[in-house]
């Protein structure tokens, strides 16, 4: 008995990458790269980078438990990996963006479950949080769509 591959689910190697794949890929690489930069500069406590932040926000970040820092690292790290995989047209990009969302959710659960300092309860902070979620979900959905259209191999 031989098992034939399901031809309806095979990836077509002749499918060319649409221009928007490169635009989204490069923008996601820049976005994720900045997220990684922010994570590193915050966690190495670069004085110049942290100078604009209010002291209560720095104290709050210093109090992050290890599992929240790990979630933050996963969120930005997997987003960067997802961007690179998207540019490489790898079907694994969707998985990386999904893990990135899990990392983001980890930090958000902590932020919503603990009292945050007044400096973090601003419209700018809420807007940035919303934008991060929109981009993260959008990248996951985009990668899934490109995978469904057999652009990612």
């Amino acid at each position: 008995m031989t098992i034939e591959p399901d031809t309806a689910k095979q990836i077509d190697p002749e499918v060319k990458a649409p221009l928007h794949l490169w635009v989204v890929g490069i923008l996601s690489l820049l976005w994720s790269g900045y997220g990684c930069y922010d994570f590193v500069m915050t966690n190495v406590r670069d004085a110049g980078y942290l100078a604009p932040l209010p002291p209560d926000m720095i104290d709050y970040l210093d109090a992050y438990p290890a599992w929240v820092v790990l979630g933050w690292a996963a969120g930005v790290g997997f987003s960067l990996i997802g961007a690179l995989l998207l540019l490489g047209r790898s079907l694994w990009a969707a998985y990386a963006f999904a893990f990135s969302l899990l990392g983001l959710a980890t930090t958000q659960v902590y932020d919503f479950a603990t009292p945050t300092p007044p400096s973090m309860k601003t419209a700018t902070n809420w807007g940035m949080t919303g934008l991060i979620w929109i981009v993260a979900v959008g990248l996951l959905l985009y990668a899934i769509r490109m995978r469904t259209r057999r652009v990612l191999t």
Side-chain angles (χ1 to χ4, degrees), residues 38-149:
D38 176 62
F39 173 81
V40 169
M41 297 302 278
T42 301
N43 284 283
V44 299
R45 299 299 184 248
D46 183 89
Y49 186 78
L50 296 176
L53 298 180
D56 64 342
M57 187 182 290
I58 294 172
D59 291 342
Y60 181 77
L61 294 171
D62 284 339
Y64 267 2
W67 63 270
V68 176
V69 176
L70 183 62
W72 185 7
V76 296
F78 277 110
S79 182
L80 182 64
I81 291 168
L84 292 169
L85 290 170
L86 191 64
L87 287 169
R89 295 184 62 188
S90 171
L91 58 86
W92 292 97
Y95 293 107
F97 287 130
F99 282 120
S100 174
L101 267 175
L102 286 174
L104 174 58
T106 300
T107 60
Q108 293 294 285
V109 164
Y110 179 81
D111 287 344
F112 286 120
T114 59
T116 55
S119 63
M120 292 180 70
K121 296 178 183 177
T122 65
T124 302
N125 190 53
W126 287 106
M128 191 63 189
T129 299
L131 180 62
I132 291 168
W133 274 100
I134 290 168
V135 170
V137 170
L139 287 171
L140 173 60
L141 294 175
Y142 181 81
I144 290 170
R145 179 165 174 101
M146 291 298 99
R147 186 176 171 177
T148 303
R149 292 179 58 199

Side-chain angles (χ1 to χ4, degrees), residues 17-24 142:
L19 177 61
H20 55 79
L21 177 82
W22 306 116
V23 172
V24 171
Y142 181 81

